[in-house]
Amino acid sequence: MQFTFRMTTRLFLGEHCVDKHSSELAALGKRALLVTGGRSSKQNGSLADMMAALTKEGISYEIFDQVEQNPSLNTVYQGSKQAREMKADFIIGIGGGSPLDAAKAVAILAVNDISQQELMAKNWSKDPLPVVAVPTTAGAGSEVTPYAILTVDWAETKLSIAGENLFPVVSYLDGRYMMDLPWDVTANTAVDALSHSIEGYISKRASVMTDLLALESIGILGRILRTIDPQNITLREREELLYASMLAGMVVAQTATGVVHGLGYQLTYFKGLPHGLANGVILKSALKFMAQAAPDRVQKVVEKMGCCDLQELGELCKRVLPPVQLKLTAEEQAKYVSKTMQSKNVDNCFKRPSEEDLRRILVESELI
């Protein structure tokens, strides 16, 4: 039995955890830049809670609230300019995966004057500023990973950067911030977390430790997706989704992702599908492919989801996710397959997919 496991983030989960554990912020410095989106963190109370905590600890702050879905390189460079000008000691990301990932990139660029190409090549010499994460969706798991996923237009896809010092130093998980989250966002992000755990479990890089976390996460997500009432989601269910997403993040922090994310990135970049929805559309067909090399693991996923077979799992995804009316042209499918083959994601599969395998996944997902 041999494996490595690294997760350096200090976690606090529970109601009002930002206020209860605000002293953790005082150790990070006297000036913070808050990186967030334009609306949701203001509406759900997370931004106000963090501003109150910073004030209580005597920490000055500024806000950069220009982060869009699937953050661009231009956006993170703008944020880093503000961080440098205010001489920030640390960065706080508040929101879904996009603001958290953007915060990590800002933390790098705040102390490294490098080009976009150098950033994406992970060619920085100075350690990033410390990052604090406050997730307000349950899907990305960025609060416990060393990754930042960014939209890179010159590569025509989403790409990741990674580094040991990109693990957030502190993460605050409070289910209250998700109470008014729309159902489509709740479902999309939950399926994103599910794909993290599944891809991490059916991976060449899996270990006994990540298996433990992945199966726990899959079991929780499967139960909630089968039984949840979209019109009456309780705080307890929100907390469980947040917990399961965190576990999934811990998994992919060790294993990275696989073919689902590899293909899903193309559907997000070129077709604008929300990330979790893009993953969910192809999940069943991707699992069918994975079963060629890891049938026992795929069967275990089906069982933990509380399903009888892959057909039922696919029907569950269709039931909870928004409908997708999308047909790819022959040119589009060829391009998406080619770009996926060039990604590192496919190298993590027990069986590395061929172009025909990827095309079959698209066909069986009713996208062609």
Side-chain angles (χ1 to χ4, degrees), residues 130-340:
V131 174
V132 174
V134 184
T136 62
T137 63
S142 188
E143 69 272 12
V144 289
T145 75
Y147 309 129
I149 313 297
L150 302 171
T151 298
V152 183
D153 288 332
W154 43 263
E156 292 188 313
T157 191
K158 294 173 70 173
L159 296 174
S160 68
I161 51 177
E164 182 73 13
N165 291 318
L166 290 185
F167 276 108
V169 293
V170 180
S171 290
Y172 298 101
L173 286 71
D174 189 333
R176 294 180 305 123
Y177 302 145
M178 298 168 49
M179 288 305 295
D180 294 324
L181 206 62
W183 170 247
D184 61 339
V185 179
T186 300
N188 290 346
T189 51
V191 172
D192 184 21
L194 179 63
S195 64
H196 288 159
S197 285
I198 289 174
E199 289 173 272
Y201 181 64
I202 309 174
S203 169
K204 291 193 303 185
R205 297 172 61 177
S207 70
V208 291
M209 190 70 174
T210 59
D211 286 354
L212 181 71
L213 300 171
L215 291 174
E216 170 76 354
S217 175
I218 293 166
I220 293 170
L221 291 166
R223 171 174 52 79
I224 291 180
L225 290 175
R226 290 195 324 273
T227 61
I228 198 168
D229 176 1
Q231 306 303 318
N232 186 31
I233 305 176
T234 66
L235 176 59
R236 173 64 178 176
E237 287 170 323
R238 292 292 189 185
E239 289 175 336
E240 285 193 293
L241 287 170
L242 200 50
Y243 172 64
S245 173
M246 179 200 75
L247 295 178
M250 293 172 69
V251 171
V252 293
Q254 319 301 319
T255 67
T257 52
V259 66
V260 176
H261 273 68
L263 269 177
Y265 285 155
Q266 316 311 321
L267 299 177
T268 295
Y269 182 84
F270 290 105
K271 291 299 184 180
L273 290 188
H275 174 56
L277 178 57
N279 289 350
V281 167
I282 60 177
L283 184 58
K284 172 199 165 187
S285 300
L287 279 166
K288 183 178 177 182
F289 160 75
M290 294 176 196
Q292 296 176 26
D296 292 344
R297 285 185 173 256
V298 171
Q299 181 58 33
K300 189 68 173 179
V301 166
V302 171
E303 292 172 0
K304 292 297 288 186
M305 287 287 294
C307 298
C308 297
D309 52 29
L310 280 179
Q311 181 65 28
E312 185 178 347
L313 189 151
E315 290 171 355
L316 174 61
C317 288
K318 278 189 176 182
R319 186 169 74 248
V320 301
L321 290 170
V324 174
Q325 303 295 328
L326 178 63
K327 293 295 181 183
L328 306 179
T329 66
E331 182 181 4
E332 286 172 332
Q333 63 91 7
K335 183 174 186 176
Y336 301 174
V337 165
S338 175
K339 294 186 78 66
T340 302

Side-chain angles (χ1 to χ4, degrees), residues 73 77 108 114-122 124 161:
L73 290 179
Y77 273 84
I108 297 168
I114 54 177
S115 69
Q116 293 185 5
Q117 287 73 18
E118 288 173 315
L119 172 66
M120 300 313 299
K122 310 170 189 64
W124 61 82
I161 51 177

Side-chain angles (χ1 to χ4, degrees), residues 10-151:
R10 184 162 189 179
L11 290 164
F12 298 98
L13 191 155
E15 295 180 63
H16 304 285
C17 58
V18 172
D19 177 62
K20 291 176 181 176
H21 302 283
S22 62
S23 60
E24 296 291 322
L25 302 168
L28 301 177
K30 288 296 183 181
R31 293 178 297 276
L33 178 66
L34 282 67
V35 175
T36 188
R39 186 175 58 183
S40 62
S41 66
K42 298 179 179 71
Q43 295 176 336
N44 61 34
S46 56
L47 182 60
D49 282 358
M50 180 53 72
M51 290 190 296
L54 292 169
T55 299
K56 182 172 72 170
E57 298 299 332
I59 300 169
S60 64
Y61 61 85
E62 292 183 13
I63 298 171
F64 177 76
D65 61 1
Q66 303 302 309
V67 181
E68 70 275 43
Q69 280 194 18
N70 307 306
S72 68
L73 290 179
N74 287 338
T75 296
V76 298
Y77 273 84
Q78 290 172 19
S80 67
K81 181 175 183 291
Q82 185 172 343
R84 288 195 300 272
E85 289 175 349
M86 68 170 289
K87 296 181 171 58
D89 295 316
F90 62 104
I91 309 297
I92 303 174
I94 305 177
S98 293
L100 302 193
D101 286 356
K104 295 176 184 179
V106 168
I108 297 168
L109 295 168
V111 290
N112 289 279
D113 185 12
I114 54 177
S115 69
Q116 293 185 5
Q117 287 73 18
E118 288 173 315
L119 172 66
M120 300 313 299
K122 310 170 189 64
N123 186 19
W124 61 82
S125 57
K126 296 181 181 178
D127 288 343
L129 295 179
V131 174
V132 174
V134 184
T136 62
T137 63
S142 188
E143 69 272 12
V144 289
T145 75
Y147 309 129
I149 313 297
L150 302 171
T151 298

